[in-house]
Amino acid sequence: MKIALVGNPNVGKSTVFNVLTGSNQQVGNWAGKTVERKSGIIQRATQTIEMIDLPGTYSLTAYSQEEIITREYILRENPDVVMAMVDASNIERNLYLVLQILELAPRVVIGLNMMDLAQSSGITIHSSELAKALNVPVVEIVAAKGKGIEEFLTEAIRVGMLAEDPLPGKVPYPEDLEVKVQDMERLLATNSWATRYPLRWLALKRLERDPEIGQEWKTSVPRPTHSKDKDSCCELGDGASYELQKTTVLPGEDLLQKYEDEGWSKDHFEMAFADAKYQYISQILPKFRTHLNPTKPTWTDLIDVWALSPIWGYPIMFAVLAFVFWGSFVASAPLGGAISQGMAWAAERVVSILQWAQVPDFVLSLVRDGIFAGVGAVLAFVPQIAIFFAFFSLMQDSGYLARAAFLGDRFMQVMGLHGKSFFSLVSGFGCNVPGIMATRTLEDPKDRLITMLLNPLIPCVPRLGVMSAVVAAFFPGSRGSVVMLSLLMLSMLLVMFSALFLRRVVKQTERSAFVMELPLYHIPTFRNILLPTWQKTYSFLKRAWTFILVASIVVWVLSSYPQGVSMEATWAGKMGGWLTFIGEPLGFDWRIMVAIVFGFAAKETTLSTLGILYGVAADASQSIAQAMTGAMTPLNAYTFLVVYMLYIPCLASVVTTYKESGSLGWTSFGVAYNLILSFIMGWIVFHGGQVLGFH
């Protein structure tokens, strides 16, 4: 059995999907699209069920990839049943999508979620009356607490196994509009191409001149060619025969032209159908919904008075973000130190065992100075990453992240960006890869591209971890806080400058307005926080034990051979020598240049590379940074921090940018831009500092 899970954004679809599918999930992209595809397998008794979590969308028009993907899946894949999620606290908006789904799919089950939030707002939904009004089964659920989810699935299985399709309620359109719909239905009923779609839905789409339907017709009907078949062509005056060109015209074109002459344009039909659906919802709403104390403010209203205030909203937002960063980088420090000490202890035990086994010295060096020094330094970041993503999931699931995006829209406007770009840039503080993927929420492809190119300028957790270690070594005490803050401020200023610059490079059409629905506040469940936190942390750990392990071994080999020579004479030293002409104007020695090169593979490897090159075996990241103090002045260190914060994004970010943009040219431009910008800023900082007398 194949089940499609559909609903507006923020209705709890992901919670239901995660509960039902558990670990049996596959995540990727829809073919030829940049929208995420989630599918999972459910086993119930002897039945195997494939569940597809379709993109959250407010409607099924053809204005965004999410809308097109959702309706194309329902039309072409023909799922056995559609599970439609509805927010009980905002049911009027949600039912608009449900009515559109009922025009596409005959087998639908409604999951009435957030019943607890609706009740706390004084809203009572009578699910049995809603089921009668739409002639569709309705199941009450509270997804955040796991209530009703199994019953929702059981009802979907029952409907999917019915011998005949049920007859859901039909939206009654005004008489003059209904006449036009029926005229189009009769015309399309004679066309074999139209049989692949629900006839009434296709009639509505043709009246709206839906562009995707037009494209589907053009790609599915062969274009006419020269022919002398008298049945398919006509005689012209010169005796030549040509196939009738009218076969390339979409069905109903003449009828549409007639309506347009009467004043019924594409937009007129679209607005008329939408208005009719909302009028129908308003008519049936009193049958199943009662609203007590409508003037009593909800908890969401009371909190938003402060959280969305033009005066207090921004200080609150900055305080929340400051707490997130404090928890990620300060509170996590003891855990990171404990991991470093644990790795040092493990390195000693493993090396002692290998010495007892009398293994060759180069193996001991590989284990101690390569594997444990490299991977150990990186694993110290795990608490930072886990805590940051836990906070991020908490903000997202509680409903506050949407408010932060709303407040951030003003800053985005200054940069000429869409408010939804705020999601991407904030995500970039955790990792640039999900930050780049978060641009999928932007409808305008030019806004998406600009935000993708800006995201690597946001220092991610691994970069911030390396930076905090270097800052602590060179700028102890309160000076470190000032230095770290200055680096973050520089990053933000360069993001603003780059956004204005890229708006001139990337030609944009007029930007769409920033419109988003603010979900009600609610207390997130541990599952909804811990599951995404674990998934992202596990992804990082996999990289640490695979890619970063290999990178550490490669760095050890390059820095150890040829044996019996000084570090400068090794392969890594020679590589650094080749890059001296780049590093010298910035005050960098060859070790820093080699670390910067290997940092392209993954930012975490910068610290592991420095640990190997400076001979700090599996010790705390603080010790690695302190080892740098003998080779660098504070001005050199600050220059390194600026370059490291801004230069080429990691390999995973570059690959993700290419996949999301589909353009090798723009991906290459982004890499070159970051590289050039970082070294220009580094040169300015280094030489400007010398002029001002800093050392």
Side-chain angles (χ1 to χ4, degrees), residues 249-285:
V249 178
L250 272 70
E253 198 66 34
D254 293 338
L255 188 60
L256 286 174
Q257 187 59 53
K258 173 190 171 186
Y259 292 150
E260 192 160 341
D261 294 340
E262 296 174 359
W264 285 80
S265 65
K266 168 189 179 299
D267 293 338
H268 196 157
F269 274 114
E270 191 172 323
M271 293 299 296
F273 290 137
D275 187 57
K277 284 184 172 68
Y278 275 113
Q279 285 187 10
Y280 179 60
I281 293 171
S282 299
Q283 291 173 8
I284 63 175
L285 207 58

Side-chain angles (χ1 to χ4, degrees), residues 121-134:
S121 301
I123 299 172
T124 302
I125 305 293
H126 304 281
S127 56
S128 59
E129 296 301 321
L130 173 60
K132 289 179 183 178
L134 298 179

Side-chain angles (χ1 to χ4, degrees), residues 628-683:
M628 297 169 63
T629 58
M632 301 175 69
T633 66
L635 179 59
N636 294 139
Y638 192 83
T639 305
F640 165 74
L641 290 167
V642 170
V643 173
Y644 178 74
M645 179 178 67
L646 301 173
Y647 88 114
I648 306 177
C650 68
L651 180 61
S653 296
V654 173
V655 172
T656 304
T657 300
Y658 173 70
K659 287 183 177 179
E660 295 295 313
S661 67
S663 171
L664 181 61
W666 281 115
T667 303
S668 303
F669 172 84
V671 170
Y673 179 78
N674 280 80
L675 186 62
I676 294 170
L677 180 65
S678 65
F679 279 92
I680 288 176
M681 292 305 303
W683 189 91

Side-chain angles (χ1 to χ4, degrees), residues 351-367:
V351 167
S352 63
I353 293 172
L354 293 177
Q355 287 175 333
W356 175 80
Q358 297 183 342
V359 301
D361 289 342
F362 80 91
V363 176
L364 294 176
S365 178
L366 171 62
V367 172

Side-chain angles (χ1 to χ4, degrees), residues 88-92 95 112 114-130 140 281-295:
S89 63
N90 192 14
I91 195 166
E92 188 170 5
L95 285 182
L112 201 56
M114 304 186 191
M115 290 293 290
D116 54 340
L117 294 180
Q119 291 174 0
S120 64
S121 301
I123 299 172
T124 302
I125 305 293
H126 304 281
S127 56
S128 59
E129 296 301 321
L130 173 60
E140 296 183 8
I281 293 171
S282 299
Q283 291 173 8
I284 63 175
L285 207 58
K287 298 179 180 179
F288 57 82
R289 186 185 75 171
T290 57
H291 199 166
L292 303 176
N293 301 324
T295 59

Side-chain angles (χ1 to χ4, degrees), residues 86-123:
V86 170
D87 177 2
S89 63
N90 192 14
I91 195 166
E92 188 170 5
R93 168 75 65 84
N94 284 230
L95 285 182
Y96 180 77
L97 177 62
V98 171
L99 293 181
Q100 289 185 317
I101 294 171
L102 292 175
E103 292 172 340
L104 274 180
R107 304 186 182 214
V108 178
V109 177
I110 295 176
L112 201 56
N113 192 25
M114 304 186 191
M115 290 293 290
D116 54 340
L117 294 180
Q119 291 174 0
S120 64
S121 301
I123 299 172

